[in-house]
Amino acid sequence: MSVFQGRVIAPGCTSAPALVSHGGLNTLASFQKALQFGDKNATCGDQNNPDLYGKPMAGKALCLPQTIGSTTGGLVLYCACSMNRQPACLLFSNPIDSLAAAGSVLAAVWLDNISMPVIDSLGQAFLDYVKDGMTITIRENGRVEVTEG
């Protein structure tokens, strides 16, 4: 097991299989099928992200450097949560961008019985270490434990 410490953006504890992107997550392109067409698995629709394209994101520990894209990013994350199609958690190697932070915090504050813990500033060593399918466990204090699947 390897342990990484980050900053808590949206609190919560969870354990889920990792899904890793080494490029930025375009939230609108990635979640469009889930929001527009009812894809409950939130299959990534961003053809420009070879790490995630075609993979289900709902219920996964989404590990990434940052989000990219338009100003709709925060609203897209909030809507994915409100439709219960969100990742189990978002884990950023870099400091979180303002749009992803806004969507994550809004979901944490405004939605009852919906959890999507968000931790940022985990560092490049985290993103280099974690692989798809590894088990990610998040503790309340921003501690992220990574174990083999």
Side-chain angles (χ1 to χ4, degrees):
M1 174 175 70
S2 289
V3 176
F4 300 89
Q5 184 66 45
R7 176 177 63 162
V8 176
I9 303 299
C13 296
T14 193
S15 187
L19 182 60
V20 181
S21 174
H22 294 281
L25 176 77
N26 181 320
T27 51
L28 180 58
S30 296
F31 284 96
Q32 187 171 9
K33 290 179 184 178
L35 302 183
Q36 266 189 305
F37 305 113
D39 175 14
K40 293 182 181 180
N41 295 317
T43 304
C44 181
D46 183 4
Q47 296 179 22
N48 294 316
N49 189 323
D51 293 330
L52 299 180
Y53 181 66
K55 296 179 181 177
M57 299 180 294
K60 303 291 171 117
L62 194 52
C63 307
L64 61 155
Q66 64 204 22
T67 62
I68 58 174
S70 72
T71 56
T72 61
L75 181 60
V76 167
L77 285 176
Y78 171 80
C79 288
C81 290
S82 72
M83 299 171 80
N84 204 25
R85 295 183 178 135
Q86 75 278 10
C89 58
L90 293 176
L91 303 172
F92 292 92
S93 60
N94 296 337
I96 195 169
D97 62 279
S98 60
L99 298 173
S104 301
V105 170
L106 287 175
V109 172
W110 286 354
L111 298 174
D112 294 327
N113 302 317
I114 297 291
S115 178
M116 185 181 69
V118 179
I119 310 294
D120 81 341
S121 300
L122 288 163
Q124 187 60 42
F126 165 75
L127 205 56
D128 290 342
Y129 179 80
V130 70
K131 305 288 183 259
D132 284 358
M134 289 180 156
T135 301
I136 304 282
T137 302
I138 297 177
R139 307 292 181 197
E140 284 286 338
N141 63 355
R143 178 181 160 115
V144 175
E145 301 167 358
V146 182
T147 55
E148 294 291 328

